[in-house]
Amino acid sequence: MTPVVEAAGLVKRFGGVRALDGLDLVAEPGQVVALLGPNGAGKTTFVRAVATLVRPDGGTLRVDGVDAAREPGRVRRLIGLAGQYAAVEAAMTGRENLEMIARLFGQDRRTARASAAEVLDRLSLGEVADRLVRTYSGGTRRRLDLGASLVGAPRLLLLDEPTTGLDPRGRIELWDAIGGLAAGGTNVLLTTQYLDEADRLADRVVIIDRGRVAAEGTPRELKSRIGGDLVEVHVRDRAALAPAARALERIAPVHTDPSSLLVTMPAEDGPDDLLKAVRALSDHHVAIEDVTLRRPTLDEVFLALTTNPERTPS
Ligand SMILES: Nc1ncnc2c1ncn2[C@@H]1O[C@H](COP(=O)(O)OP(=O)(O)OP(=O)(O)O)[C@@H](O)[C@H]1O
Ligand SMILES: [Mg+2]
C-alpha cells in the first residue's frame, strides 16, 4: 500500500537553524501517527512541509505517493489542516461555517448542505450546529475547526497541537472526536507535546528532537525500550522483606530495597506476573502493604531519549 506520508532525508533551514535535519518518516494508511518532541524540535515545520506551506531545502516528501515539491496543488487537495490557527467565523453558526467552506471547495448549494450535515454528525455537533460559534466553549470550537478540515474529505488530516490550551474536559472531547475519525478510517498525523495524548491516540509515536527522528514505535514498544513492567511490593515491616523476596524469587529475580521496604520483580508478562506474585505472597502469608504493577510512562521514554545524546541515533 502507498504510504500516506513518506519523507526521506528532509532538510529545512531557517537562516542558521536546521529545523529539519535529515528527517525520515513513513506513515502507513489506517494509522494515527503522533509526532512528539520538545519545543523547537521541528514538529510544526514538518507538518507545514506536508501541507506544502514550507518548501524543504533537501530530501524528498510524498503524500499519498504525490511529490510535494513537484505537485503541491495535488498534495493540498489530499490534506486537511487543523490546529491552533484554523479559522472559523465566530459571527456565523457552525452549520453556516461548514457550508461556506464546502462552497469554497466548489460544491453546489445542495451538496454543501449535505457535506456540512455529515461532518456535524460525525463530530456530534448536531446540538450546537445552529448556534453562533461565538457562544461555543473552547473545546466545541476546536471540534468545529476539526470539522472544517474534514469538509473536503481529505486523505490525510494534519493536526498541529490540537488540544493545546483546552481544559481537561475539552481535551477529552477532542480526543474522542479524533479517535472516532481514526476509527472511521481517516489517516491522522498529529503533533503534540503531551505524552498522555500520544499514548491515548497514536498507533505509532515518532519522537523527534533537533529536526531528526530520535525513536519511533508503538507507545508500548517505546515503553519497553527503556525497560519493561515491574511488580512492586511494599511490605509492612522489615521482617517481611526476606519472606517476600523468597516468595517472588520463584517467579523472577527480585531486587530488595530495605530502606523503602520495597521488593521489585520484573514482569515480562505484565498482569499475569502480577497475579502470580499476589498468589505467591498470599501462599507464603507475607504481610504486605501494597502491590502494584508499574509500567514505564511515555514521559520516562521521552526524557530518556531526548536528553541523553548517546541514545540519539545519528
Ligand atoms: N519561519 C521561521 N523562521 C525562522 N525560524 C523558524 C521558522 N519556523 C521555525 N523556525 C525555527 O525552526 C525550529 C523548529 O521550529 P518548529 O516550529 O518546527 O518546532 P516545533 O517542534 O513545532 O516547536 P513547538 O513545540 O514550540 O511548537 C526552531 O528553532 C524554530 O525557531
Ligand atoms: Mg509547533
Side-chain angles (χ1 to χ4, degrees), residues 3-261:
V4 180
V5 177
E6 198 174 8
L10 214 58
V11 174
K12 177 65 192 178
R13 291 183 215 95
F14 291 110
V17 178
R18 281 175 165 254
L20 300 177
D21 191 15
L23 189 117
D24 299 306
L25 187 150
V26 178
E28 300 293 346
Q31 287 190 332
V32 176
V33 177
L35 293 185
L36 191 61
N39 291 126
K43 303 180 296 294
T44 296
T45 304
F46 180 70
V47 165
R48 288 172 58 80
V50 175
T52 75
L53 299 171
V54 149
R55 205 183 166 86
D57 300 306
T60 58
L61 177 60
R62 288 173 179 280
V63 179
D64 206 25
V66 180
D67 190 302
R70 290 207 194 100
E71 300 185 86
R74 263 183 79 198
V75 168
R76 241 168 273 150
R77 283 192 289 279
L78 291 168
I79 55 125
L81 176 62
Q84 275 176 287
Y85 312 109
V88 287
E89 188 51 60
M92 285 163 57
T93 69
R95 190 187 305 279
E96 286 165 351
N97 265 287
L98 296 180
E99 286 180 3
M100 181 185 72
I101 292 163
R103 297 281 283 155
L104 293 174
F105 270 97
Q107 299 179 5
D108 63 37
R109 207 172 288 278
R110 222 185 125 130
T111 317
R113 213 173 292 149
S115 314
E118 199 220 305
V119 168
L120 289 167
D121 185 51
R122 273 178 89 183
L123 292 178
S124 312
L125 286 164
E127 268 176 41
V128 297
D130 298 305
R131 265 173 36 196
L132 295 183
V133 169
R134 78 158 81 87
T135 69
Y136 287 12
S137 69
T140 304
R141 192 168 170 152
R142 205 66 76 81
R143 239 178 326 138
L144 182 67
D145 281 344
L146 193 60
S149 65
L150 285 173
V151 168
R155 177 100 178 98
L156 171 66
L157 191 56
L158 297 169
L159 306 174
D160 193 10
E161 300 201 18
T163 65
T164 296
L166 294 183
D167 66 17
R169 177 188 296 273
R171 293 181 74 204
I172 289 168
E173 280 175 9
L174 207 73
W175 284 347
D176 287 346
I178 296 168
L181 294 174
T186 305
N187 300 300
V188 179
L189 177 70
L190 64 90
T191 74
T192 184
Q193 294 189 38
Y194 302 121
L195 300 130
D196 55 342
E197 183 159 295
D199 205 359
R200 162 107 175 219
L201 284 176
D203 300 302
R204 251 181 76 230
V205 175
V206 179
I207 296 180
I208 69 172
D209 194 23
R210 287 164 288 161
R212 291 177 176 218
V213 174
E216 64 179 302
T218 63
R220 210 192 159 85
E221 282 165 359
L222 287 173
K223 288 175 201 170
S224 66
R225 268 179 68 163
I226 61 152
D229 300 348
L230 285 178
V231 172
E232 288 187 343
V233 178
H234 283 271
V235 296
R236 209 163 288 162
D237 47 44
R238 272 177 175 263
L241 276 170
R246 271 199 304 276
L248 297 179
E249 225 135 44
R250 294 150 179 262
I251 307 164
V254 300
H255 176 79
T256 304
D257 179 0
S259 64
S260 50
L261 299 179

